[in-house]
Amino acid sequence: MALLPILEFPDPRLRNVAKPVTEVDATIRKLVDDMFETMYEAPGIGLAATQVNVHKRVVVIDLSEDKSQPLVFINPEIEVLDQETSEYDEGCLSVPGFYETVVRPGHIRVKALDRDGNAFEIEPEGLLAVCIQHELDHLNGKLFVDHISPFKRSRIRSKLEKKHKAEAR
Ligand code: QAP
Ligand code: CO
């Protein structure tokens, strides 16, 4: 297992669109394991491969407090199930230190492949629905800051650019 470096906004590599996984093989399973280790160490509740500079459609999530509910989504697809929306204060390991309210569909259907390459389907609401949509955005080159006002987004960009310059000294 290995800890992977996490790209931070406004790194342009976070704008890449990830490619579908054609075969869930040992390379993908190693990526999944490294992503869990990286997410747990952070700690975070969700991580997309894009954030570790691997542009494949792979997401890991664990909403539990004790690392007991690891979820893997390979080639995830979502459908909105009803008009209800949900508002959540979102954060992101690629936007460290910033949280903003994002409105998203509250009830979705998700189809994906698991760690063994088997297809499954769930219909989450609440935080899991929010988290899957946030992570799927990453695979499409989108970040939660794209859902907030341009003013707030550019303030976050400036602050992180300052931090990155300080770290590079
Ligand atoms: C995405 O985010 C998410 O700013 C996962 O300093 C978050 O794991 C979806 C984190 C909230 C829905 C709701 C953020 C860790 C972790 C930070 C995360 C930080 C350290 C974020
Ligand atoms: Co994120």
Side-chain angles (χ1 to χ4, degrees):
M1 298 248 271
L3 285 179
L4 307 170
I6 298 175
L7 302 178
E8 292 187 4
F9 177 68
D11 193 309
R13 293 171 289 183
L14 288 168
R15 297 309 186 178
N16 289 353
V17 177
K19 296 225 164 66
V21 171
T22 53
E23 195 189 348
V24 181
D25 57 12
T27 306
I28 294 295
R29 276 189 282 276
K30 161 98 165 87
L31 171 64
V32 164
D33 293 345
D34 291 346
M35 286 173 63
F36 274 116
E37 190 182 4
T38 302
M39 178 182 78
Y40 288 137
E41 203 268 342
I45 59 170
L47 186 70
T50 306
Q51 293 176 273
V52 293
N53 200 29
V54 176
H55 302 285
K56 297 178 182 174
R57 302 187 80 81
V58 176
V59 162
V60 300
I61 291 176
D62 192 337
L63 302 184
S64 74
E65 306 240 300
D66 57 353
K67 313 183 180 183
S68 63
Q69 285 159 53
L71 300 173
V72 177
F73 300 87
I74 297 169
N75 299 341
E77 290 177 32
I78 72 169
E79 276 169 72
V80 176
L81 290 185
D82 57 54
Q83 296 299 314
E84 301 280 302
T85 56
S86 105
E87 279 187 25
Y88 207 93
D89 264 352
E90 295 188 20
C92 181
L93 289 170
S94 294
V95 191
F98 297 90
Y99 292 82
E100 296 290 344
T101 305
V102 176
V103 182
R104 300 183 186 270
H107 190 196
I108 59 174
R109 173 180 297 134
V110 185
K111 296 180 181 175
L113 303 178
D114 66 18
R115 197 181 182 282
D116 303 311
N118 296 316
F120 69 100
E121 209 177 296
I122 54 172
E123 294 187 359
E125 297 177 86
L127 180 56
L128 182 56
V130 172
C131 198
I132 292 169
Q133 291 174 82
H134 174 116
E135 301 310 333
L136 181 53
D137 271 357
H138 279 299
L139 302 182
N140 293 329
K142 271 196 100 176
L143 296 165
F144 84 88
V145 295
D146 301 333
H147 294 273
I148 65 177
S149 79
F151 175 77
K152 285 183 177 168
R153 183 164 59 250
S154 75
R155 197 169 44 101
I156 293 171
R157 184 193 295 109
S158 313
K159 288 186 176 175
L160 283 174
E161 280 170 345
K162 237 185 198 172
K163 184 188 84 134
H164 297 152
K165 284 195 181 124
E167 285 167 353
R169 269 184 218 133

